[in-house]
Amino acid sequence: MYARTRKSGTPHRTSRRTLLAATAGTAAAVAVGGTPARADDGKRHDRRLRALISRMTLEEKVGQLFVMRVYGHSATAPDQADIDANLKEIGVRTAAELIAQYRVGGIIYFAWAHNTRDPHQIADLSNGIQEASLAQPRGLPVLISTDQEHGIVARVGKPATLLPGAMALGAGSSRSDARRAGQIGGAELHAMGIRQDYAPVADVNVNPANPVIGVRSFGADPRAVAAMVAAQVKGYQSASVAATSKHFPGHGDTETDSHYGFPVIEHTEAQWAELDAPPFRAAIAAGIDSIMTAHIMVPALDPSGDPATLSRPILTGILREQLGYDGVVVTDSLGMEGVRTKYGDDRVPVLALKAGVDQLLNPPKLDVAWNAVLQAVRGGELTEARLDESILRVLRLKDRLGLLKDPYVSHRGVDRTVGTPAHLKAADRIADRTTTLLVNSEGLLPLSSRKRKKVLVVGADPASPSGTTGPPTTVLATALTELGFSATALSTGTAPSAATIAKAVAAAQDADAVIVGTYNVTAAGSQKTLVDELLATGRPVVALAIRNPYDVAQLPGVKAYLATYSWTDVELRAAARVIAGRVDPAGRLPVPVQRADDPARVLYPIGHGLSY
């Protein structure tokens, strides 16, 4: 067996026995391997894993429960700015020091933490983390995770394959596409050493005003969402990457973002069972490896006023006992306001464990959280046996993913897997089946590059997900130019000024057609003014909702309207092919769009979509 060194990727020989001995510390652990346990030997595997647990110190056990962020592209030699950030936020200089001091069981990657520059660097970082952990006494492999939902949430960017997000896949309504997307995404994460993905989102987006879920959800129909969630779970886990359905018990009906506030879900218990529960039931039936909690209050499920993350009635009573789930439960980030409103940062991790959580994700101050759990055990509020239950679940997962057999990856594996032509072509094919044509009242689409050669692309330019090649207007104009148009981009932003609108209107006078990208249009917002003034020029105007499809309700004068559900390259290129008539629009709305003047009435129902 070969493992790769962190710095150069040069192979060094490590015997399987040596690696497992380093992992477990005893010959008994060698038999554990990384092979998933069969039903008839599960108890034998558990005995071996429990033997590993029995040799841990209390401090090591506490560390295994935490999944922590760390700044830097390298486990041992990050840039000075990242060292400074680590010292300020965590009290350590590097990932290696984090592991040595706290013995964390997991590390989460973020682009903003400079963990995900490129695939080879990510693989080297992963190997460096594993080397640092296995070098410790009784060292265990680290479960490395990230949020790679695709669509608008992607921590690993190009040259990795970026795929359509959940609502786009919901518009395509193909389970095989959802599963294939999960398999591709999972295989690429696996090649870079990331073995737990916080996806798919299992929330049912029944509230158009939802500020935090929206297009991250597959849609508003619980049964359709359940089918897509199950397909994605199977796709990710076929690549030996743990899928994570989130956010239990369901974050789809809120107008509050739990990053900044404390949402309250007013569903009755019967409504929860009908609307929110089906995707989680489907995920469990599909063998989901982990489930993430939500920092929301659901009084019908727990009247105490506690967030679900800290609710024993919800996590143990419903998730464990009623739904029969015995996999890993991970919190959403403990730095979010929704879980910090009622209790201090020292109480939150203790209460989460008492509620039934197994992994404590990204506390704002690790020393506070780590010491709080340690003191709770020493003081008798938590038992060591309770910690052992969670550690056993985490070790079962690490075992099932093969980490106890070989946690290392290689540059060769990255090159064989990440961003391959086959994966990129598959992403384009999947995206072609998601673009949704909502309005085409005068047959404006498709545009002809012969009749309408000069195209002006204007519109919103929100912050781009990792790895996109530029602002949406530029990406779309480039794609249209490649399809035979002469396209010019003019970025007008999400809140264009009067001067910017005037500039766009003047530019439209010289165009044969105008395409305008919209992003969360409101009745009084300047994006609506921009579109109205472009329509007043008399030029053909095609509007493109690059995030929420609900924008169309605010712009009744538009004769042609498309929805892409994201502004990533893969979805904008697909939209360009639809605009040019190279691909027939095949997507269908996975959410209803209500009328702007009467939200009680539906303008376009679930399933609406036009074809050429």
Side-chain angles (χ1 to χ4, degrees), residues 444 513-516 531 534-535 537-543 558-561:
L444 178 57
V514 179
I515 299 172
V516 54
V531 176
L534 288 171
L535 287 169
T537 67
R539 300 295 181 186
V541 175
V542 177
V558 174
K559 304 301 182 184
Y561 215 123

Side-chain angles (χ1 to χ4, degrees), residues 317-399:
I318 295 177
L319 182 56
R320 296 285 192 207
E321 296 173 358
Q322 181 179 321
L323 301 186
Y325 178 66
D326 193 36
V328 169
V329 174
V330 56
T331 70
D332 206 342
S333 171
L334 297 183
M336 294 166 59
E337 190 61 27
V339 78
R340 303 173 75 190
T341 300
K342 189 174 179 181
Y343 301 100
D345 292 336
D346 59 334
R347 294 300 297 154
V348 166
V350 175
L351 294 174
L353 291 170
K354 292 176 73 172
V357 159
D358 302 306
Q359 289 184 306
L360 301 162
L361 177 62
N362 201 27
K365 295 293 183 182
L366 180 57
D367 60 338
V368 171
W370 189 89
N371 280 298
V373 175
L374 186 67
Q375 294 307 317
V377 178
R378 288 176 173 168
E381 183 178 7
L382 287 170
T383 66
E384 200 164 344
R386 168 65 192 91
L387 268 58
D388 292 352
E389 290 176 9
S390 287
I391 296 169
L392 178 60
R393 291 191 185 101
V394 173
L395 288 183
R396 283 173 181 157
L397 180 54
K398 291 181 178 182
D399 184 22

Side-chain angles (χ1 to χ4, degrees), residues 507-518:
Q509 304 295 337
D510 192 40
D512 298 321
V514 179
I515 299 172
V516 54
T518 68

Side-chain angles (χ1 to χ4, degrees), residues 6-369:
R6 173 186 50 77
K7 292 184 179 179
S8 66
T10 304
H12 64 269
R13 191 174 297 275
T14 304
S15 73
R16 181 173 298 177
R17 184 174 297 275
T18 299
L19 177 60
L20 286 169
T23 301
T26 67
V30 175
V32 174
T35 305
R38 299 188 303 271
D40 60 352
D41 65 1
K43 291 182 180 180
R44 179 163 52 89
H45 276 260
D46 275 3
R47 283 198 299 270
R48 290 168 179 155
L49 296 176
R50 287 191 175 97
L52 299 183
I53 296 170
S54 70
R55 285 183 284 275
M56 294 181 190
T57 66
L58 177 58
E59 291 78 4
E60 290 166 355
K61 289 182 178 182
V62 172
Q64 280 296 304
L65 303 174
F66 283 94
V67 181
M68 190 59 185
R69 70 190 179 280
V70 64
Y71 290 86
H73 70 287
S74 163
T76 57
D79 295 338
Q80 186 60 50
D82 292 324
I83 292 174
D84 294 341
N86 285 328
L87 287 170
K88 180 180 179 181
E89 295 186 17
I90 313 173
V92 299
R93 294 166 53 86
T94 66
E97 288 185 12
L98 167 67
I99 291 165
Q101 182 164 333
Y102 290 104
R103 303 298 292 274
V104 293
I107 286 179
I108 180 173
Y109 286 171
F110 292 105
W112 51 258
H114 309 139
N115 304 140
T116 57
R117 291 181 178 178
D118 66 74
H120 282 178
Q121 169 269 316
I122 297 169
D124 290 343
L125 174 60
S126 299
N127 284 343
I129 286 170
Q130 302 298 0
E131 290 169 3
S133 189
L134 292 175
Q136 300 299 315
R138 298 168 299 280
L140 290 167
V142 173
L143 184 55
I144 298 171
S145 60
T146 198
D147 292 283
Q148 191 77 351
E149 298 174 13
H150 295 279
I152 69 171
V153 178
R155 310 303 188 198
V156 180
K158 292 190 173 200
T161 304
L162 297 179
L163 294 135
M167 192 168 285
L169 291 172
S173 69
S174 167
R175 298 183 194 183
S176 62
D177 279 353
R179 181 167 183 162
R180 178 62 174 148
Q183 190 276 328
I184 291 171
E188 296 198 6
L189 291 177
H190 185 284
M192 293 178 280
I194 301 170
R195 306 299 289 274
Q196 185 177 24
D197 189 14
Y198 297 136
V201 170
D203 304 314
V204 181
N205 200 71
V206 295
N207 189 337
N210 194 322
V212 65
I213 304 302
V215 295
R216 297 168 62 197
S217 164
F218 289 105
D221 181 336
R223 287 174 293 183
V225 172
M228 301 300 278
V229 165
Q232 283 242 287
V233 167
K234 292 174 182 176
Y236 282 117
Q237 294 186 180
S238 71
S240 293
V241 165
T244 308
S245 59
K246 59 186 186 184
H247 308 79
F248 189 83
H251 209 314
D253 189 6
T254 176
E255 296 182 18
T256 301
D257 185 341
S258 53
H259 289 85
Y260 310 108
F262 186 20
V264 179
I265 307 294
E266 299 290 359
H267 290 180
T268 66
E269 189 171 356
Q271 288 173 323
W272 174 81
E274 180 183 354
L275 294 174
D276 302 295
F280 292 101
R281 291 184 184 275
I284 293 168
I288 187 78
D289 279 329
S290 52
I291 290 177
M292 180 178 284
T293 68
H295 304 326
I296 58 174
M297 187 201 313
V298 189
L301 303 183
D302 180 359
S304 71
D306 285 345
T309 297
L310 310 182
S311 169
R312 185 169 180 83
I314 290 175
L315 297 188
T316 296
I318 295 177
L319 182 56
R320 296 285 192 207
E321 296 173 358
Q322 181 179 321
L323 301 186
Y325 178 66
D326 193 36
V328 169
V329 174
V330 56
T331 70
D332 206 342
S333 171
L334 297 183
M336 294 166 59
E337 190 61 27
V339 78
R340 303 173 75 190
T341 300
K342 189 174 179 181
Y343 301 100
D345 292 336
D346 59 334
R347 294 300 297 154
V348 166
V350 175
L351 294 174
L353 291 170
K354 292 176 73 172
V357 159
D358 302 306
Q359 289 184 306
L360 301 162
L361 177 62
N362 201 27
K365 295 293 183 182
L366 180 57
D367 60 338
V368 171

